[in-house]
Amino acid sequence: MRAAAVLGLGCSPKNLRAFQTDQTIDWRIGMPAAADQVDIVLLFGGDGTIHRHLSQLVKLGLPVLVVPAGSGNDFARALGTRGVRDSLAAWRRFCAGQANVRAIDLGVITPLENAGDAPSTDAQGRSEAHEPARNSVPGTRNYFCSVAGVGLDSEVARRANQLPRWLRGHGGYALTLAPAIFRFAAVSMKILASGRTAGWTVRSDQPTILAAFANTSTYGGGMKIAPHAQMDDGQLDVCVIGGVDPVKLAYMFPTVYFGRHLSIREVEYFQAELLRVETETPLDVYADGEYVCKTPIEVGVERGALQIIVHPSQTGF
């Protein structure tokens, strides 16, 4: 068997040693260019590392083993992979020829028009330029594995990405959330659903604090924004939080860690296969904690897009 190891930030070949007990396996470091070069890809990293490689992984169509080594690891958590020990158990079962490969969905973000990667402004009006993004070209398909968002969560992700890596892995998202709550104002946002056959239906048109489009239940290091999300149902779970007083919002957010926010009046929750998001001014779109593009966008699902090796005890998502 031939295996490729993709090492994310902070990882090195020594992370591979526990997986290299079988001397008959031929190893290479780095993402393969073609599917005929290897039989499996091991990806060491967190949600951001996975996000950056999704397009090539989909193209290759090879089984992928995720070894959580990032600051959030929400995608690995959704797979039931809590640490290296779980990844090793899945790896050994795969090497033994067991049927522990599952096809899962991926979310897809498509910019609708070139809003330009003009500098964003934070809640205090200060500008921050993004690096040039090829994925912001209209019509470009951008995959995500966990959750995409517009609004407050994008602002929090932007702030969290400026923190040292060790701090991001120890509550960095929560640390940036608190000040952002009191500085972020609701924005005018329209969300339309479906559209493949019966045309577009407006599902939300109101001042909005955040809109999250979820393929997995958690993001931000364990915030259960979409407690009913599944990775193999062909649907995105959508959570929209309307205009809320900052004080109430501050009290609300701890409930998100337990999925109890769905009972709050300002929270709307529904499922859809295809969505369109429009805002009065272009807003940043983040997915898996990474900047993707600006609104307006379409957000959809590609069913069975990724072949994932799962833990032996994981019979369902």
Side-chain angles (χ1 to χ4, degrees), residues 159-224:
R159 291 168 176 258
N161 287 345
Q162 296 174 350
L163 297 174
R165 185 172 180 271
W166 67 269
L167 186 55
R168 292 202 307 271
H170 295 82
Y173 192 94
L175 288 174
T176 57
L177 175 61
I181 284 177
F182 292 96
R183 297 178 181 178
F184 188 88
V187 296
S188 179
M189 186 182 304
K190 180 185 290 187
I191 301 175
L192 304 95
S194 204
R196 296 188 185 277
T197 55
W200 295 99
T201 301
V202 176
R203 293 301 307 261
S204 179
D205 187 2
Q206 61 178 320
T208 300
I209 293 292
L210 73 81
F213 314 102
N215 188 45
T216 65
S217 61
T218 68
Y219 73 164
M223 297 181 69
K224 197 172 289 187

Side-chain angles (χ1 to χ4, degrees), residues 37-91:
Q37 295 177 348
V38 297
D39 304 299
I40 179 175
V41 176
L42 283 73
L43 203 158
F44 293 74
D47 297 337
T49 300
I50 297 166
H51 176 87
R52 289 187 287 273
H53 292 291
L54 282 176
S55 180
Q56 181 65 7
L57 292 173
V58 171
K59 178 181 176 181
L60 293 173
L62 296 169
V64 178
L65 175 67
V66 173
V67 184
S71 57
N73 302 316
D74 287 289
F75 183 60
R77 182 181 293 108
L79 296 171
T81 306
R82 299 284 176 168
V84 175
R85 181 177 298 180
D86 289 337
S87 297
L88 276 170
W91 168 246

Side-chain angles (χ1 to χ4, degrees), residues 51 108-113 115-117 120 130 133 135-136 142-144 147-155 157-158 161 189 211-213 277-279 281-299:
H51 176 87
V108 184
I109 299 169
T110 307
L112 291 179
E113 63 182 52
D117 278 317
S120 301
H130 292 294
N135 53 5
S136 64
N142 304 283
Y143 291 102
F144 65 94
V147 181
V150 182
L152 176 64
D153 51 352
S154 291
E155 172 67 9
R158 182 188 67 81
N161 287 345
M189 186 182 304
F213 314 102
V277 183
E278 302 172 354
T279 55
T281 59
L283 296 179
D284 290 349
V285 181
Y286 275 73
D288 305 326
E290 301 293 312
Y291 174 74
V292 177
C293 62
K294 293 181 180 293
T295 56
I297 57 171
E298 283 188 0
V299 190

